[in-house]
Amino acid sequence: DAGVIQSPRHEVTEMGQEVTLRCKPISGHNSLFWYRQTMMRGLELLIYFNNNVPIDDSGMPEDRFSAKMPNASFSTLKIQPSEPRDSAVYFCASSPTGPGPQHFGDGTRLSIL
Amino acid sequence: SQQGEEDPQALSIQEGENATMNCSYKTSINNLQWYRQNSGRGLVHLILIRSNEREKHSGRLRVTLDTSKKSSSLLITASRAADTASYFCAPNAGNNRKLIWGLGTSLAVNP
């Protein structure tokens, strides 16, 4: 079975540019999570969706960040405009019904110059 | 905060030895999960222990849970170089799917 698929794997861009990260969850999973990981702050939950509906976006740092899930097989995380402090690894994870295990993609390593 | 806090932050052992990592949390939980992260990769779920369970095994992994002390431990027996990774505990406090993460334990297993 295919796991969670994220793209791109690496992104380097200049500050001020728009960045779009993409995620395809595991088929049949109805929850999707976006995380950000840095050395200083560890793994932070940004937002999660249940049945394509945003449930908790309290971790989204500011209005420059937005996330969408137009259907059960696709989600995006957008940063506009990007800033150097947004540099991190961004992970997407999905899980089936219930508070069970989450399945992670291999992340997008984002560098904002 | 539901945050899981792992201890120690870093651990270095020789192949064949056992590795023990501890986790503390602050609220009542539904379950507690352990994950592994290899360098440059996403987290991989290892084991889930429910609040009414005290011990669980999976291969060379043994997890204990003490809800009265709000703590858990992960034991890896007969460690291998391939076990080198960061290990995270993630308490789940309710019916939602939200997990709050600590900074992990970095385990190095030397050949």
Side-chain angles (χ1 to χ4, degrees):
Chain A
D1 289 339
V4 174
I5 300 172
Q6 292 187 246
S7 64
R9 287 298 312 278
H10 303 274
E11 175 90 13
V12 180
T13 192
E14 294 185 347
M15 65 176 295
Q17 297 297 307
E18 178 179 292
V19 174
T20 299
L21 311 181
R22 298 172 178 80
C23 175
K24 177 179 169 57
I26 293 173
S27 177
H29 285 190
N30 68 353
S31 294
L32 183 140
F33 307 81
W34 281 102
Y35 290 96
R36 178 173 66 179
Q37 187 178 41
T38 61
M39 290 291 293
M40 291 299 297
R41 300 175 66 91
L43 195 65
E44 301 173 279
L45 177 66
L46 300 177
I47 185 172
Y48 81 92
F49 296 83
N50 188 35
N51 293 325
N52 312 338
V53 175
I55 301 300
D56 185 342
D57 66 354
S58 59
M60 296 286 262
E62 47 197 276
D63 291 346
R64 298 184 297 107
F65 286 68
S66 63
K68 293 182 179 179
M69 192 165 185
N71 57 62
S73 59
F74 184 66
S75 179
T76 60
L77 178 68
K78 187 173 294 186
I79 309 172
Q80 166 63 18
S82 58
E83 297 182 2
R85 61 192 168 118
D86 301 330
S87 297
V89 182
Y90 290 80
F91 288 102
C92 176
S94 69
S95 72
T97 303
Q102 295 182 13
H103 300 255
F104 283 73
D106 278 336
T108 295
R109 184 172 295 277
L110 178 63
S111 297
I112 308 297
L113 307 178
Chain B
S1 168
Q2 305 166 24
Q3 184 178 22
E5 297 181 3
E6 296 88 352
D7 172 65
Q9 290 185 352
L11 182 61
S12 181
I13 60 174
Q14 296 299 121
E15 216 167 14
E17 294 180 340
N18 295 342
T20 299
M21 288 158 271
N22 302 298
C23 170
S24 60
Y25 56 92
K26 297 180 180 178
T27 66
S28 297
I29 60 169
N30 186 342
N31 64 61
L32 186 142
Q33 303 174 31
W34 284 92
Y35 289 77
R36 182 188 74 227
Q37 184 179 30
N38 291 91
S39 180
R41 304 298 300 273
L43 282 75
V44 174
H45 178 261
L46 294 176
I47 198 163
L48 181 153
I49 186 165
R50 293 182 170 79
S51 59
N52 61 353
E53 297 177 310
R54 291 296 168 259
E55 188 170 311
K56 203 161 184 180
H57 297 256
S58 176
R60 294 183 296 111
L61 305 181
R62 172 177 167 254
V63 167
T64 62
L65 179 65
D66 187 333
T67 52
S68 66
K69 295 181 179 178
K70 293 186 168 54
S71 67
S72 176
S73 67
L74 170 66
L75 169 68
I76 304 175
T77 60
S79 64
R80 305 167 181 169
D83 295 327
T84 295
S86 292
Y87 292 81
F88 297 85
C89 73
N92 181 285
N95 292 326
N96 63 38
R97 296 151 181 80
K98 189 173 175 177
L99 300 175
I100 308 296
W101 305 80
L103 295 179
T105 291
S106 177
L107 173 66
V109 181
N110 305 303

